[in-house]
Amino acid sequence: MNRVVFNQKGGVGKTSITCNLAAIGASQGLKTLILDLDVQGNTTHYLVGAVDAEQFPAQAQGVAGLFKQTVGPRSMRKNPDSFVWETPFENLFIMPSSPVLGQIEKDLESRYKIYKLRDAIAKLDSEYDRIYIDTPPNFNFYSKSALIAADSVLVPFDCDSFARQSLYELMNNIEELQEDHNPQLEVEGIVINQFNAQAKLPGELVAELKGEGFPVIENFLTSSVKMRESHHEMRPLIYLAPSHKLTQAYVDLHNQLEKNIKKRRRSK
Ligand SMILES: Nc1ncnc2c1ncn2[C@@H]1O[C@H](COP(=O)(O)OP(=O)(O)OP(=O)(O)O)[C@@H](O)[C@H]1O
Ligand SMILES: [Mg+2]
């Protein structure tokens, strides 16, 4: 089962949500892989620290290595698993980002490599219980590749009125992509991030979204400085502060998503 976390708006919580849900699943025994498709490499930095691309041979360049080999000779291609790294956390693996992703994007796009990630994930799916894909804040080659490859999409929303405006465009883009490339893609829902129950605006925005029929997930994530601390310490919340309120909100969200997966499987 694989899911992409996507919103073309920057800073809404894609990386935080990807890494923390993945880490919770891994801590519960699910063998989990994260693909970092964002050239910014925040997920990579969060989980394995700074990566010096020069230091590694081409096949170890994570996602960039995987994409790069699709324009090279077939006989030289490696199994997608050879681009995966271990993280310091049990059951949690990463295919890291690299600055090379930015350099090769145009070439990949002009050579129609948009389905290559889907092919790679089809091979990785049997190796991992869960695959998460973190995306850049753009509807670009990499996020489209991810939405084409994924079983489902989670959309973070940070209770900002600009985020709401971009949600319409985002949902349209997802629908168009479903229609043209991936009819199986399931919209798991909108994850409310940095929710502040004391302030008036977030509650109003969320109520409006629900009123308009957006699939809002009921387990809201609150705002806490623990999240920045977690990024700084390079430890997902479940390891840094297992009993913190935000960590517990993440655990509840994770467990709800797992329940929904089981329900969907039963109804198929
Ligand atoms: N629940 C939260 N409480 C407090 N701060 C948060 C929370 N979630 C995310 N943040 C902070 O918001 C900022 C943006 O989060 P994050 O990097 O996860 O967003 P993103 O959507 O991946 O950003 P980008 O679009 O740049 O990739 C970070 O500094 C992060 O620490
Ligand atoms: Mg990010």
Side-chain angles (χ1 to χ4, degrees):
M1 191 275 161
N2 60 78
R3 66 162 58 95
V4 53
V5 181
F6 179 59
N7 188 327
Q8 57 217 35
K9 182 170 181 283
V12 292
K14 294 178 286 294
T15 297
S16 306
I17 291 170
T18 304
C19 295
N20 282 287
L21 289 179
I24 289 166
S27 76
Q28 293 179 0
L30 294 168
K31 189 178 174 192
T32 302
L33 170 66
I34 303 179
L35 275 66
D36 186 358
L37 257 58
D38 185 0
V39 69
Q40 296 180 96
N42 294 342
T43 280
T44 301
H45 192 271
Y46 191 6
L47 299 176
V48 292
V51 173
D52 178 0
E54 311 261 301
Q55 202 187 317
F56 300 100
Q59 74 269 22
Q61 279 178 10
V63 180
L66 178 83
F67 273 111
K68 243 163 107 177
Q69 71 168 0
T70 67
V71 295
R74 254 170 199 278
S75 57
M76 302 287 284
R77 290 186 197 164
K78 301 211 157 32
N79 191 293
D81 217 14
S82 49
F83 301 97
V84 171
W85 299 16
E86 287 182 359
T87 74
F89 311 103
E90 200 178 356
N91 287 323
L92 189 59
F93 298 82
I94 183 167
M95 201 183 278
S97 164
S98 123
V100 177
L101 280 178
Q103 297 158 21
I104 61 178
E105 183 179 353
K106 289 240 150 45
D107 191 32
L108 293 169
E109 200 159 19
S110 65
R111 293 178 186 221
Y112 304 104
K113 301 296 180 185
I114 199 91
Y115 294 105
K116 291 298 174 187
L117 188 69
R118 180 166 79 183
D119 297 346
I121 284 188
K123 288 193 183 134
L124 290 163
D125 246 343
S126 57
E127 296 279 323
Y128 297 91
D129 299 310
R130 298 286 177 270
I131 299 176
Y132 285 77
I133 313 173
D134 188 20
T135 50
N138 298 302
F139 196 52
N140 69 3
F141 172 82
Y142 295 114
S143 47
K144 282 181 202 162
S145 290
L147 288 160
I148 288 172
D151 294 328
S152 68
V153 54
L154 274 182
V155 177
F157 176 78
D158 65 353
C159 302
D160 170 290
S161 44
F162 292 130
R164 186 184 153 193
Q165 281 161 25
S166 72
L167 213 51
Y168 296 106
E169 193 189 334
L170 170 63
M171 289 317 220
N172 281 340
N173 283 341
I174 291 176
E175 267 175 33
E176 194 178 335
L177 188 133
Q178 277 172 317
E179 194 182 330
D180 294 345
H181 302 282
N182 187 5
Q184 320 303 330
L185 179 71
E186 183 109 32
V187 180
E188 280 186 283
I190 294 173
V191 179
I192 306 297
N193 189 33
Q194 302 221 41
F195 186 74
N196 178 355
Q198 266 81 53
K200 208 168 141 220
L201 184 65
E204 282 175 5
L205 280 174
V206 171
E208 279 168 26
L209 290 185
K210 284 193 204 164
E212 289 175 40
F214 283 104
V216 174
I217 299 173
E218 287 302 332
N219 305 73
F220 297 177
L221 300 170
T222 48
S223 183
S224 164
V225 289
K226 267 283 172 248
M227 185 52 85
R228 274 171 216 270
E229 215 178 301
S230 163
H231 283 265
H232 181 73
E233 299 281 325
M234 300 195 314
R235 284 168 74 78
L237 289 170
I238 193 72
Y239 295 105
L240 181 74
S243 47
H244 191 272
K245 218 173 122 206
L246 180 57
T247 314
Q248 286 311 308
Y250 261 107
V251 170
D252 290 346
L253 173 62
H254 173 270
N255 295 348
Q256 184 59 48
L257 294 173
E258 285 297 311
K259 260 191 222 158
N260 295 349
I261 292 174
K262 290 198 184 103
K263 221 187 279 172
R264 282 202 299 275
R265 281 187 182 152
R266 274 200 304 270
S267 67
K268 269 184 188 159

